[in-house]
């Protein structure tokens, strides 16, 4: 299959130069104006390609339709990628292309302490001879998920250029705010109008994810008793100290630093503490709902102990559901997973099904009735200045999408 990898590279380099990191402190959707910049650019590009029904909703969901070329009824599939990047680092990348990588250390020039080597970055061994793309050392590259965006755009361009390839109707959706767990919060599934979906938000070639964490967020607000410190004896209740006691009581064996595989965790992500009031934000993760409930119980027990130890303080604990393991729904209809495996094999790869220690927009979509597993698009070392991607791996993701469209055509009545 002859792909235009120069178009794929040009698109990716263009997209990562736009700072689209999301902001969980914003109430807007999208949460940052940079996401609008990329969404409007993509809308213009989709229109230039000639896609039908290109629309950008008020909440930043860019939708378009690739009309069917199959003469028979085929379920409508949707391809998703998110335009935002993680909030922890700037997203205004200065991308660097390391052509025909030969195994040497890759030193990122804006911060030479940031390096990629075969010893520290094992997946590089699979990419000898590839064109490796990195940022310059002080920002994210944005491969999560602009690799997915570029892959979808290149696949759409190829299908439009080759109408002889039979496929059903395909819906395109680029969405905001996945990185702050709001990616599908305001999408209208009736407006999307698809039967099955795929997010392009995975890592190594051949990867297909049909199982994710189930996730809750938790917030503990501690209200102490204020007093002048000079006359505080037997009066003051220091909320900051109580927050420290709470954090110290969290079991270290349930931390992300101590867990792997199918083990979940309790992870404090933010603590703002003052003598009068303190606030601790956490995320809870587990692959099973029973395990997630057990982690809630751990947090509740620690808070109950603190209430008993200091009854003059007020401790308010709230939990919010974020997403659920997509496996619970996908195992009821495995066609989207099975067809993806076949497409991956046709692309010359070995399918690898994993339980990902995170979530995707597909977690929310699947729970809402749109079965949506996650496919690879080549990203590595995400959420770090060492983030990188192989152009050849992205091309394999494009090839997989093209085969996937044909598999749905072939397997439909």
């Amino acid at each position: 299959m002859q792909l235009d990898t120069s178009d794929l590279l040009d698109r990716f380099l263009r997209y990562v130069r736009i700072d689209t990191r999301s902001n969980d402190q914003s109430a807007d959707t999208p949460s940052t104006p940079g996401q609008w910049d990329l969404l409007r650019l993509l809308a213009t590009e989709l229109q230039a390609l000639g896609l039908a029904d290109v629309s950008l909703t008020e909440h930043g969901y860019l939708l378009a339709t690739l009309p069917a070329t199959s003469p028979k009824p085929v379920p409508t599939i949707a391809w998703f990628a998110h335009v935002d990047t993680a909030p922890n680092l700037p997203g205004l990348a200065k991308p660097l292309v390391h052509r025909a990588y030969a195994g040497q250390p890759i030193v990122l020039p804006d911060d030479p302490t940031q390096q990629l080597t075969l010893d520290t970055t094992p997946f590089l061994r699979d990419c000898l001879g590839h064109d490796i793309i990195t940022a310059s050392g002080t920002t994210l590259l944005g491969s999560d998920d602009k690799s997915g965006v570029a892959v979808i755009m290149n696949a759409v361009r190829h299908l439009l250029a080759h109408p002889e390839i039979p496929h059903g109707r395909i819906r395109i959706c680029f969405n905001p705010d996945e990185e702050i767990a709001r990616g599908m919060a305001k999408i209208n599934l009736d407006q999307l109008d698809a039967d099955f979906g795929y997010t392009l938000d995975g890592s190594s070639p051949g990867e297909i994810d049909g199982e994710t964490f189930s996730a809750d967020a938790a917030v503990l607000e501690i209200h102490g008793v204020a007093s002048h410190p000079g006359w505080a004896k037997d009066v003051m209740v220091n909320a900051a100290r109580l927050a420290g006691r709470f954090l110290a009581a969290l079991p270290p064996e349930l931390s992300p630093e101590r867990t792997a595989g199918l083990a979940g965790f309790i992870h404090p992500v933010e603590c703002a503490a003052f003598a009068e009031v303190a606030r601790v934000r956490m995320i809870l993760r587990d692959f099973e709902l029973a395990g997630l409930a057990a982690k809630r119980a751990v947090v509740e027990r620690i808070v109950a102990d603190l209430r008993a130890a200091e009854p003059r303080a007020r401790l308010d604990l709230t939990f919010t559901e974020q997403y659920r393991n997509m496996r619970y729904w996908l195992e009821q209809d495995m066609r989207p997973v099975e067809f993806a495996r076949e497409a991956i094999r046709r692309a010359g790869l070995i399918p690898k099904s994993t339980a990902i220690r995170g979530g995707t927009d597909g977690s929310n979509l699947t729970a809402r009735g749109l079965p949506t597993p996650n496919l690879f698009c080549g990203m590595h070392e995400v959420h770090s200045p060492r983030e990188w991607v192989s152009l050849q791996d992205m091309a394999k993701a494009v090839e997989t999408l093209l085969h996937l469209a044909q598999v749905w055509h072939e397997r439909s009545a």
Side-chain angles (χ1 to χ4, degrees):
M1 187 176 292
Q2 188 64 40
L3 301 177
D4 187 348
T5 56
S6 62
D7 171 81
L8 177 61
L9 177 61
D10 289 346
R11 290 183 185 279
F12 180 71
L13 297 181
R14 185 160 63 247
Y15 303 155
V16 300
R17 288 187 173 100
I18 302 173
D19 191 347
T20 60
R21 60 175 166 172
S22 46
N23 176 11
D24 64 0
Q25 301 303 306
S26 169
D28 296 333
T29 303
S31 62
T32 51
Q35 295 182 67
W36 282 115
D37 294 339
L38 179 52
L39 287 163
R40 292 186 181 109
L41 171 63
L42 291 169
T44 300
E45 292 185 356
L46 288 169
Q47 290 167 342
L49 287 173
L51 256 67
D53 304 326
V54 178
S55 64
L56 182 55
T57 75
E58 63 177 322
H59 296 302
Y61 295 90
L62 177 57
L63 305 172
T65 302
L66 185 62
T69 58
S70 173
K72 61 182 181 179
V74 179
T76 296
I77 60 173
W79 294 340
F80 297 89
H82 64 88
V83 298
D84 66 312
T85 58
N88 60 305
L89 283 172
L92 190 63
K94 293 188 289 184
L96 305 172
V97 182
H98 310 268
R99 296 284 187 179
Y101 175 64
Q104 72 278 11
I106 298 176
V107 180
L108 305 184
D110 289 349
D111 182 358
T113 67
Q114 303 292 341
Q115 301 185 19
L116 284 71
T117 70
L118 294 179
D119 290 333
T120 61
T121 315
F123 285 111
L124 275 175
R125 294 185 183 277
D126 298 327
C127 297
L128 295 174
H130 290 202
D131 300 317
I132 305 299
I133 309 160
T134 69
S136 58
T138 58
T139 71
L140 296 172
L141 173 60
S143 182
D144 180 9
D145 187 26
K146 291 167 186 173
S147 288
V149 174
V151 163
I152 290 173
M153 291 293 291
N154 188 253
V156 167
R157 182 175 182 268
H158 187 92
L159 287 175
L160 287 169
H162 294 276
E164 71 278 6
I165 297 175
H167 62 81
R169 177 172 174 265
I170 300 173
R171 289 285 276 164
I172 309 303
C173 179
F174 298 125
N175 62 274
D177 291 333
E178 189 270 353
E179 297 291 354
I180 55 174
R182 298 187 210 157
M184 292 299 153
K186 295 185 178 180
I187 193 171
N188 183 328
L189 291 185
D190 290 335
Q191 185 179 16
L192 177 67
D193 189 24
D195 301 302
F196 300 91
Y198 295 90
T199 51
L200 274 292
D201 194 15
S203 182
S204 299
E207 178 184 321
I208 175 171
D209 305 315
E211 182 169 4
T212 63
F213 272 142
S214 288
D216 285 345
V219 177
L220 173 62
E221 291 190 352
I222 304 171
H223 299 267
V225 178
S227 171
H228 187 290
W231 294 271
K233 187 175 186 303
D234 299 326
V235 177
M236 178 184 288
V237 177
N238 191 313
R241 290 185 181 277
L242 288 174
R245 288 167 62 181
F246 170 79
L247 292 171
L250 290 172
E253 66 273 15
L254 293 181
S255 67
E257 307 95 303
R258 301 277 190 90
T259 52
L262 296 178
F265 55 74
I266 302 169
H267 179 38
V269 295
E270 181 182 301
C271 179
F274 302 91
E276 293 82 9
V277 63
R279 186 172 186 263
V280 181
R281 294 175 56 239
M282 296 158 278
I283 58 174
L284 283 63
R285 301 290 188 264
D286 202 278
F287 286 99
E288 302 300 339
L289 293 179
L292 192 63
K295 289 168 181 60
R296 280 194 181 206
V298 168
V299 175
E300 290 170 335
R301 183 172 62 252
I302 296 170
V303 171
D305 290 344
L306 286 174
R307 288 188 182 118
E310 186 44 84
R312 293 175 298 164
R314 190 177 93 238
L315 286 79
D316 297 326
L317 177 63
T318 58
F319 295 96
T320 304
E321 179 180 319
Q322 292 182 310
Y323 56 85
R324 292 295 180 257
N325 189 339
M326 65 171 69
R327 188 197 78 228
Y328 296 129
W329 294 271
L330 286 176
E331 59 191 6
Q332 299 173 27
D333 183 351
M334 290 295 289
R335 281 182 297 165
V337 174
E338 291 167 356
F339 292 178
R341 287 174 179 154
E342 176 60 23
I344 288 168
R345 283 190 287 266
R346 293 186 186 187
L349 302 170
I350 298 173
K352 296 177 287 188
S353 296
T354 60
I356 55 174
R357 292 180 61 79
T360 73
D361 287 322
S363 304
N364 177 280
L365 291 167
T366 301
R368 291 169 61 184
L370 182 69
T372 307
N374 184 50
L375 301 178
F376 74 95
C377 59
M379 62 179 77
H380 294 282
E381 302 276 335
V382 299
H383 296 200
S384 86
R386 300 175 305 283
E387 186 179 14
W388 63 277
V389 68
S390 153
L391 175 61
Q392 286 75 12
D393 286 352
M394 284 198 292
K396 278 296 181 182
V398 174
E399 190 176 344
T400 296
L401 285 187
L402 300 178
H403 286 299
L404 182 59
Q406 294 174 77
V407 172
W408 276 98
H409 155 76
E410 294 168 9
R411 301 291 177 85
S412 297

